[in-house]
Amino acid sequence: LQQPVERLLPARFRAGHVAHRDAYYRRPQTRPMGVGPDLFGLRKDGNEFPIEIRLSPVKTEEGVLVISVIRDITERRRVEDTLRLQKKLLEEKIKEMDDFLHVVSHDLKEPLRGIDAYAGFLLEDYSERLDEEGKRYLNALRSSTLRMHHLIRDLLTLASVTRKGSS
């Protein structure tokens, strides 16, 4: 079309692009897609859109020519933005769940300590008055509180590992 390539750029980039293009022609080298600053193209209707450009110099009899591949990455950017937002929301939910887990575990530990302590007191102070079945019940109660304590500890460990993994 015999038009300068700068016509495809938003006005704010046109002047700087001429200098970049001249520098590129002095030292042409392949530039892969996605390397360098964010780039924008200009549609016929004047709207801007994000692009990637790949440049490849080719030596010909007429001199060095540059093959340029320009890709519209609007959809990819939209997906990336959506993923970033979803990641942020997920991280917030994980933090909320972690905070909830710490509060609940603390609230569960206290009554467990009390149950275990009173079962221990009964075994110590009233052992001679309890039959074997009563002692077995109190030992089972203490065993259950210990198991519950280990479950709470494991949940907190899991939350700690999850928190470290998402940092």
Side-chain angles (χ1 to χ4, degrees):
L1 299 175
Q2 301 302 316
Q3 298 288 324
V5 72
E6 285 78 25
R7 182 174 180 174
L8 301 174
L9 300 175
R12 68 182 185 280
F13 297 119
R14 288 179 187 159
H17 185 263
V18 173
H20 288 300
R21 186 184 61 206
D22 291 345
Y24 180 83
Y25 274 109
R26 285 193 295 279
R27 293 193 53 213
Q29 58 187 356
T30 299
R31 189 180 92 187
M33 291 278 190
V35 175
D38 287 341
L39 303 172
F40 295 90
L42 190 63
R43 298 187 195 283
K44 284 182 183 180
D45 65 6
N47 287 321
E48 293 184 20
F49 63 102
I51 59 172
E52 279 184 340
I53 299 178
R54 176 187 172 118
L55 301 174
S56 298
V58 178
K59 293 182 182 179
T60 68
E61 291 177 8
E62 294 97 29
V64 176
L65 298 177
V66 177
I67 297 173
S68 177
V69 178
I70 301 171
R71 180 179 294 154
D72 180 345
I73 58 170
T74 302
E75 186 58 30
R76 186 176 81 200
R77 286 281 171 87
R78 190 174 300 127
V79 169
E80 288 170 348
D81 291 345
T82 300
L83 287 174
R84 267 191 293 280
L85 176 62
Q86 292 298 320
K87 180 181 183 241
K88 181 181 176 208
L89 293 173
L90 183 60
E91 288 170 347
E92 289 171 3
K93 291 297 177 191
I94 288 171
K95 182 176 179 346
E96 287 174 16
M97 192 170 71
D98 187 53
D99 293 345
F100 174 76
L101 181 62
H102 279 85
V103 168
V104 168
S105 66
H106 175 74
D107 289 350
L108 289 174
K109 282 181 187 178
E110 191 59 36
L112 279 177
R113 282 192 283 269
I115 292 168
D116 184 54
Y118 279 108
F121 296 155
L122 289 170
L123 281 170
E124 280 182 32
D125 297 345
Y126 297 96
S127 181
E128 68 282 347
R129 295 184 196 172
L130 294 170
D131 61 6
E132 289 307 309
E133 188 175 20
K135 290 177 186 175
R136 192 167 41 85
Y137 287 161
L138 287 172
N139 282 320
L141 183 62
R142 293 193 81 194
S143 177
S144 293
T145 60
L146 181 62
R147 192 169 72 240
M148 184 64 132
H149 174 75
H150 288 154
L151 288 171
I152 293 168
R153 182 200 61 208
D154 292 347
L155 280 173
L156 288 171
T157 300
L158 177 63
S160 172
V161 168
T162 303
R163 187 174 44 247
K164 288 177 187 169
S166 65
S167 303

